[in-house]
Amino acid sequence: MTDPARTLGEEVGGLDAAADRRAPLASVQDLRIQFRTKAGRVHAVDGVSFDIRDGEALGLVGETGCGKTVTARSFLRLVPSPPGIYAGGRVQFRPRKRCEVCGGAGCGACGGAGRVPTACPRCRGTGCSECNLSGEETVDLLRVPERRLREIRGNRIAMIFQDPGKALNPALPVKQQIAEVLHVHRSEELLRRAGIDSDAGVLMPLLRRMAEQRSRRAERVLLGLPPGRRHSRRLGAAVAEWVAESLAETRIANPRKVMNSFPHELSGGMKQRVMIAQALACDPDLLIADEPTTALDVTIQARILELIRELQDRHRSSVLYISHDLALVNQVSDRVAVMYAGRIVESGPSQAVFRDPRHPYTRGLLAAIPTATDERGRLMAIEGTVPELVDPQPACRFHARCPYAAPACRTIDPPLRAHRDDRPVACFLYESAEEVGADRSSMPTWAGRR
């Protein structure tokens, strides 16, 4: 007799294995972003590499000014240029589509992700240099034409910005701001929802332009007259219904009232929910959440985090969660990458990194979190500040603040390499003198704490 628990375990294991065999949803490879200043070039992001897998939440943590937001904005090419310069590297993105077998619920065909890769248009899935032999459509977001990037931005990759009060347009109602995403990326689906098809006859081209928000004034006047008026009203009702559904999904109690409000009429938590609704309206493959709870009080923070996690599970999207709050990242992330002074210094599964931090910077961040056992009035702190990144010299960028710093740390860049447990860390404490080409006496040791 077959053991149901064993069968279920084998099935889940098979789904995980199938997901692991696929190329990651997004890959950042040696990303370098600089800014021109009077003092020189600021190396804001300097050689950052990481992957985001299907359906996972990756936390990117570090102090203010370490390059987290600049890294995230590079996915949508939103770093202003000038003064910003994309100095090197790649941000590769592999768009997904909903699995036709399970309808997005997750099955063996899609590895439990609910989404499947789209075939590379050049090789039709057989593998070529353009898709790195993966057979999946692979887009380099830093080099793709602007027109193609606009198809991805807000559609396949969406972003929740840090301050919703600044990200939302104060002169437009909520409905119009969410509807804009639908008009740009989901115009054909809007027409289907409105029940407008070939029966519209000669008005169909005009209605299609109306769904795309590209109507001219004369066309709008024509659609305001019978029989176009009936179709345009149905289209408007379909837009309102979709916007209300998006807002209701974020647990807004009265979505039809809220969607007619202006941003200044909403609280901070409500504005953040509107931003989340706008980001998820097109069911993106990747959601970038840039410190979405910074301006909110603790109780609202917990609700927003729970909401993001719930919506991620429902939409089966991947999430890049950016924060300087390690406790929050530990709650929502499957894996975490610790960033300092424009570089990744440690990465790994969230539970492993928080339970056994390897890099002295990660240890310092965790030690700075107050606990109930700490002596009252005393808080641990990392001495010093993040260094200036204007034309930096080869060195460990944490050496001036590190209690284990040795001569090698001041003259050689530590590589980000996997050591035990396959967890990458950029620190000479885990390297041998022979590996880095340094004198043994110049290497740091755990016994050499200052």
Side-chain angles (χ1 to χ4, degrees):
M1 185 175 179
T2 305
D3 183 359
R6 181 178 177 183
T7 304
L8 179 60
E10 290 174 351
E11 181 179 346
V12 172
L15 297 182
D16 291 342
D20 289 342
R21 283 195 298 270
R22 285 211 300 262
L25 175 69
S27 299
V28 178
Q29 302 171 0
D30 196 29
L31 179 64
R32 300 175 186 274
I33 301 176
Q34 302 169 2
F35 291 91
R36 292 191 185 95
T37 67
K38 293 181 179 179
R41 287 196 177 190
V42 176
H43 295 233
V45 178
D46 197 8
V48 166
S49 299
F50 59 84
D51 292 334
I52 303 175
R53 303 166 188 159
D54 277 316
E56 84 165 351
L58 174 68
L60 193 59
V61 300
E63 291 175 81
T64 299
C66 70
K68 305 185 300 296
T69 296
V70 175
T71 300
R73 285 175 175 262
S74 67
F75 278 81
L76 300 174
R77 222 153 71 195
L78 293 179
V79 177
S81 180
I85 305 168
Y86 292 97
R90 293 182 175 185
V91 179
Q92 293 185 325
F93 175 66
R94 299 173 180 88
R96 303 304 197 220
K97 60 182 179 181
R98 191 175 292 275
C99 177
E100 297 178 358
V101 177
C102 63
C107 64
C110 60
R115 301 171 188 259
V116 293
T118 55
C120 173
R122 181 177 178 182
C123 66
R124 299 186 181 278
T126 59
C128 64
S129 58
E130 188 171 308
C131 63
N132 297 326
L133 303 179
S134 67
E136 302 176 11
E137 181 183 6
T138 304
V139 181
D140 188 347
L141 297 173
L142 300 186
R143 295 170 179 82
V144 69
E146 184 66 26
R147 182 174 181 179
R148 176 68 174 123
L149 183 63
R150 286 177 64 86
E151 295 174 359
I152 295 173
R153 191 187 287 154
N155 182 22
R156 303 318 326 144
I157 303 177
M159 189 166 183
I160 303 171
F161 292 95
Q162 188 168 350
D163 187 350
K166 294 179 180 178
L168 294 171
N169 190 330
L172 297 177
V174 166
K175 174 185 173 182
Q176 192 170 341
Q177 299 191 53
I178 297 178
E180 182 180 4
V181 180
L182 304 176
H183 285 299
V184 172
H185 298 297
R186 294 290 187 271
S187 57
E188 289 298 326
E189 191 168 342
L190 279 174
L191 291 171
R192 286 196 298 272
R193 280 182 169 229
I196 299 173
D197 47 28
S198 56
D199 66 338
V202 295
L203 293 176
M204 194 63 191
L206 301 184
L207 289 166
R208 184 169 281 111
R209 289 176 61 84
M210 185 180 188
E212 297 171 352
Q213 281 194 327
R214 295 192 298 115
S215 297
R216 299 183 178 91
R217 183 176 180 181
E219 294 172 344
R220 290 194 296 271
V221 171
L222 183 60
L223 289 172
L225 301 173
R229 182 189 304 165
R230 175 170 59 90
H231 294 300
S232 60
R233 285 178 176 174
R234 284 162 60 186
L235 182 59
V239 172
E241 182 66 27
W242 198 335
V243 171
E245 288 176 6
S246 299
L247 290 171
E249 199 172 30
T250 63
R251 302 181 193 168
I252 289 179
N254 194 343
R256 291 196 174 271
K257 178 181 178 181
V258 170
M259 72 182 189
N260 293 314
S261 304
F262 288 84
H264 70 271
E265 299 176 303
L266 305 176
S267 66
M270 292 286 278
K271 282 188 279 193
Q272 195 60 275
R273 290 171 189 267
V274 169
M275 286 290 298
I276 294 172
Q278 185 182 45
L280 292 174
C282 289
D283 193 21
D285 300 321
L286 175 62
L287 177 66
I288 301 173
D290 185 9
E291 303 201 28
T293 60
T294 297
L296 306 177
D297 60 59
V298 176
T299 56
I300 301 299
Q301 279 185 11
R303 293 175 188 171
I304 294 296
L305 287 174
E306 182 185 354
L307 177 62
I308 291 175
R309 192 67 172 178
E310 177 187 322
L311 292 175
Q312 180 198 1
D313 293 339
R314 187 182 307 167
H315 288 262
R316 295 186 177 271
S317 300
S318 300
V319 176
L320 175 61
Y321 190 90
I322 298 169
S323 180
H324 57 264
D325 190 327
L326 279 78
L328 294 182
V329 169
N330 191 26
Q331 293 178 33
V332 300
S333 301
D334 303 308
R335 288 190 306 124
V336 64
V338 182
M339 198 167 181
Y340 181 77
R343 291 181 172 174
I344 302 291
V345 296
E346 182 175 357
S347 64
S350 296
Q351 295 298 324
V353 171
F354 285 95
R355 183 179 62 253
D356 179 26
R358 304 281 173 80
H359 197 280
Y361 176 61
T362 312
R363 293 184 172 209
L365 288 177
L366 292 173
I369 299 176
T371 65
T373 59
D374 289 338
E375 183 182 344
R376 187 171 182 177
R378 289 181 59 85
L379 291 174
M380 296 294 294
I382 302 175
E383 296 182 0
T385 58
V386 178
E388 292 288 338
L389 298 177
V390 178
D391 300 321
Q393 298 300 312
C396 172
R397 296 184 179 177
F398 189 60
H399 78 269
R401 308 173 70 186
C402 180
Y404 304 99
C409 305
R410 302 183 183 96
T411 56
I412 305 174
D413 279 329
L416 181 65
R417 280 202 285 239
H419 296 279
R420 65 180 188 272
D421 301 334
D422 199 33
R423 277 176 49 193
V425 59
C427 183
F428 288 133
L429 286 166
Y430 302 93
E431 304 279 354
S432 67
E434 293 75 16
E435 287 177 319
V436 298
D439 186 79
R440 186 171 298 178
S441 62
S442 68
M443 296 291 288
T445 63
W446 291 109
R449 183 183 176 93
R450 292 182 293 180

